[in-house]
Amino acid sequence: MDEGWLLPALVALPAACAGVSLRLRSARLAIWFCAAGTLTVAGLAATAVWVVYAAGPRFAAGGWLMLDALSAYHLAVMLAVYSLSGLYGVSYFREEIEDGRLKVGRARRYAALWFGSLAAMMLVLLANNLGIMWVGIEATTLLTAFLICIHVSAGSLEAMWKYLLVCSVGVAIAFTGTVLIVAAAAQAGLNGTAALLWSNLREVAPRLDPVLLKAGFALVVVGYGTKAGLAPMHNWLPDAHSQAPAPVSAIFSGFLLNAALYCVLRYLPVVEAGTGQCGWGQGIMVVFGLLSITVAAIFIVAQHDLKRLLAYHSVEHLGIIALGVGVGGLGLLAALFHTLNHSLCKALSFFCAGSLGQVYGTHDMRRVTQVVRTSPVWGSGLVGSLLALIGVAPFSLFLSEFMILKAAVSHGAYWISGLFLAGIGVVFVGALRHAIAMAWDPLPAPVPARPARAAEGLLVFGPLAVLLVLGVWMPPPLLALLTRAAGLLGGGS
């Protein structure tokens, strides 16, 4: 069977959905189309992931598009987050549609930007050409920026411009790094577009110019790390997360950050093989990982806004992923596993924060209390997702964090282990204090109870159940895909 059409179709289908969205005649239809269209794309993506799992990497468009174990794994995570967020959008926007606050024009724009950002992120994951990958990341910046201010306010406009300015500077730095790495390929005899193909660079990595390679990778980490929310380049992230609608915050934290970090991961095996210094690139990842965990821990303790609290948890967990990659060995597999765990958990937590914000009329945690009694489904989901985020066993985030710690100890990196434990320990205490207060502190003012529908219960307890199951048992196909993806980062085939 010829699957040459499959990879281009994965980009073309959401792009076509974006065009269709602009022709829809009602706000309700636009929001439902986001859910239905995303599920359709997810079905096609599942086919592509299965093909890679069964038959190995796929190439298309003259080698410019590629789907291997690493990109297939991220593709599966992305579509899980987008599918859940699309379905949640139906619940989140229901009242706004019913009382006429969400007009058809704004809903169509939301749907078009939703599918446009999905197409751009799809392009990032499928690109074998590093230039096309950069274009995809730049496109995600431009498209997702306007999703932040679907609800127009002074705060959302400020957050949008801050996001555009900071991330555009970061992406420009990443472009400079890409140029330097392409220049490093001239020493290996690669020129023109051939020097942009990741598969070519990986083959000739030992012959690349090590000086240009190191300089390029440092700029790539800073540039793409800005979009990934790694500290100290994270300052756009709390504003964007707190001002965006909850479904948008979910895809920002659940996958947009992962897409940017994925770009860094693509360069890592080339840098490790080309610098002649084992662990040079991974050492940079360790520094940014520990710094992100430390900065997040400080701000999590002092937060009062629920969505900003979750934003700093994103900084923390992207730092944990970067640390796992930097530690290497088992840490590579643990970091990829943590990517899935964090994405599911963070999407769920933003769903709950968004719905509770509608119930209470605020995200100030000093006023969002008695959440389980006021809204049993969303309140229970919020408390459960916070417990998962801070690594309470037997949730799968505990397992992936433990695997990263085990990898660091097994490599004799005791100072890294100590700093890691100290950082997540502060987060544990600080976030647990917030969770306890929201669950049991007395209400400052009466809030009417809001029962949730059965479908909303599935959106909450379904992801929580998955996080619990993955904490005690990993399906063999998932383990196989994780192992192959980690092998690509560690120099495997």
Side-chain angles (χ1 to χ4, degrees):
M1 176 181 173
D2 180 15
E3 299 104 3
W5 59 273
L6 189 55
L7 303 192
L10 285 172
V11 180
L13 181 56
C17 289
V20 172
S21 299
L22 296 173
R23 309 296 298 175
L24 299 176
R25 295 180 177 273
S26 74
R28 189 183 306 276
L29 182 58
I31 299 304
W32 271 103
F33 185 66
C34 281
T38 303
L39 290 173
T40 302
V41 176
L44 185 64
T47 302
V49 171
W50 177 256
V51 168
V52 171
Y53 174 76
R58 303 288 95 182
F59 291 85
W64 283 33
L65 297 180
M66 175 189 70
L67 189 67
D68 60 7
L70 183 62
S71 50
Y73 177 72
H74 280 83
L75 179 63
V77 174
M78 178 179 74
L79 267 302
V81 171
Y82 259 91
S83 297
L84 290 170
S85 301
L87 291 169
Y88 171 69
V90 175
S91 167
Y92 181 79
F93 290 111
R94 182 186 297 112
E95 289 185 5
E96 294 185 33
I97 293 171
E98 289 174 352
D99 61 22
R101 283 180 290 149
L102 185 66
K103 304 297 184 183
V104 60
R106 187 175 297 175
R108 285 192 301 216
R109 185 165 66 250
Y110 172 86
L113 291 169
W114 177 275
F115 285 112
S117 64
L118 176 56
M121 279 190 253
M122 194 78 76
L123 187 63
V124 170
L125 297 184
L126 297 179
N128 186 33
N129 184 304
L130 299 180
I132 298 298
M133 186 172 73
W134 179 87
V135 169
I137 283 289
E138 178 69 358
T140 65
T141 302
L142 298 175
L143 290 165
T144 56
F146 295 99
L147 284 170
I148 296 172
C149 59
I150 288 296
H151 295 139
V152 179
S153 66
S156 65
L157 289 173
E158 180 184 351
M160 181 196 73
W161 283 111
K162 188 173 185 179
Y163 170 66
L164 274 174
L165 290 172
V166 174
C167 289
S168 293
V169 170
V171 173
I173 293 172
F175 176 79
T176 306
T178 302
V179 170
L180 291 177
I181 290 175
V182 170
Q187 181 171 297
L190 291 179
N191 295 291
T193 57
L196 284 166
L197 298 183
W198 177 83
S199 52
N200 289 346
L201 289 171
R202 188 165 174 270
E203 289 179 3
V204 302
R207 293 188 280 136
L208 300 178
D209 186 320
V211 175
L212 289 175
L213 194 58
K214 288 180 179 180
F217 183 70
L219 291 174
V220 161
V221 173
V222 172
Y224 287 130
T226 301
K227 187 72 177 281
L230 294 177
M233 301 87 68
H234 68 286
N235 57 356
W236 64 270
L237 193 149
D239 293 330
H241 280 52
S242 63
Q243 294 297 324
V248 177
S249 297
I251 62 170
F252 266 57
S253 187
F255 196 76
L256 180 66
L257 307 182
N258 293 340
L261 191 61
Y262 165 86
C263 295
V264 177
L265 300 185
R266 272 297 176 202
Y267 287 93
L268 189 63
V270 176
V271 171
E272 288 298 301
T275 58
Q277 296 175 251
C278 182
W280 185 86
Q282 289 177 313
I284 292 180
M285 300 298 288
V286 167
V287 170
F288 278 103
L290 289 175
L291 184 59
S292 298
I293 295 168
T294 303
V295 169
I298 295 170
F299 281 96
I300 282 171
V301 171
Q303 274 312 301
H304 296 298
D305 185 279
L306 176 56
K307 291 185 76 177
R308 292 180 72 89
L309 172 75
L310 297 177
Y312 282 111
H313 273 296
S314 295
V315 177
E316 176 212 359
H317 285 280
L318 266 292
I320 291 173
I321 294 168
L323 178 64
V325 171
V327 168
L330 177 64
L332 293 170
L333 188 145
L336 294 174
F337 185 37
H338 198 77
T339 299
L340 170 62
N341 298 333
H342 169 252
S343 294
L344 287 177
C345 191
K346 189 53 67 61
L348 168 62
S349 59
F350 272 114
F351 297 165
C352 298
S355 292
L356 289 172
Q358 291 176 329
V359 173
Y360 287 83
T362 181
H363 292 114
D364 188 333
M365 289 185 287
R366 292 167 295 190
R367 296 168 57 192
V368 180
T369 56
Q370 294 285 325
V371 291
V372 178
R373 178 176 298 178
T374 302
S375 183
V377 170
W378 299 117
S380 299
L382 178 66
V383 173
S385 62
L386 284 174
L387 292 178
L389 281 174
I390 62 177
V392 171
F395 288 108
S396 53
L397 285 94
F398 167 81
L399 178 60
S400 50
E401 289 177 2
F402 178 78
M403 291 166 66
I404 291 172
L405 179 63
K406 183 176 185 297
V409 172
S410 65
H411 287 116
Y414 300 115
W415 69 273
I416 293 176
S417 304
L419 291 174
F420 176 44
L421 283 173
I424 63 175
V426 171
V427 169
F428 185 95
V429 173
L432 184 60
R433 179 173 61 86
H434 293 310
I436 291 172
M438 285 188 288
W440 285 293
D441 275 6
L443 273 170
V447 176
R450 178 183 172 181
R453 303 187 180 190
E456 294 173 338
L458 289 175
L459 280 174
V460 171
F461 297 114
L464 274 179
V466 171
L467 293 171
L468 281 169
V469 170
L470 290 178
V472 296
W473 175 73
M474 186 179 294
L478 175 60
L479 179 59
L481 190 60
L482 275 171
T483 302
R484 286 162 58 181
L488 286 171
L489 292 178
S493 58

